[in-house]
Amino acid sequence: MLFVLVVGGVVLAALNGGSSSGTLPSGRSVTTHSDSWNLESRYEKDTVSIKTAGFKIQVTPGRVDVDGQRVAYLDTAAKNVAVDVKSGEITVHADGKWVVTVRR
């Protein structure tokens, strides 16, 4: 019975994915939610580098890159950026407004 509970807990944790949040020196907050259990975020200077679900995402002061390609420009004054990764799709919002959706 204990084995079933442990396996069930691991499966639920893996299916829920992960999240990451941080504030850059400029004051910009970047939050990432991913349905992948593998999520790595690095906050360096004014850039966030995110690896999750097979994507490499970079949020810089003025743009969003996915796998080395620019997919959107960001308003440099945006204070809150949200990156959501679900079912192979990335959606980015800045200050609550939709910026871009990238599908694989």
Side-chain angles (χ1 to χ4, degrees), residues 14-88:
L15 292 176
N16 285 333
S19 63
S20 170
S21 184
T23 303
L24 299 167
S26 65
R28 175 181 278 178
S29 167
V30 179
T31 303
T32 306
H33 296 281
S34 176
D35 63 355
S36 172
W37 60 270
N38 184 17
L39 172 63
E40 177 186 327
S41 298
R42 276 187 309 149
Y43 295 79
E44 295 180 310
K45 298 183 182 175
D46 245 1
T47 299
V48 180
S49 299
I50 304 160
K51 291 181 184 179
T52 187
F55 292 107
K56 292 180 183 176
I57 306 162
Q58 254 194 343
V59 178
T60 66
R63 66 190 215 196
V64 177
D65 295 342
V66 174
D67 297 332
Q69 300 293 316
R70 182 179 317 137
V71 296
Y73 289 100
L74 282 178
D75 181 352
T76 55
K79 289 296 181 189
N80 298 298
V81 177
V83 179
D84 295 306
V85 181
K86 184 175 181 180
S87 301

Side-chain angles (χ1 to χ4, degrees), residues 64 71-74 91-95 97-101:
V64 177
V71 296
Y73 289 100
L74 282 178
T91 303
V92 179
H93 289 86
D95 292 337
K97 296 179 182 176
W98 176 85
V99 175
V100 68
T101 298

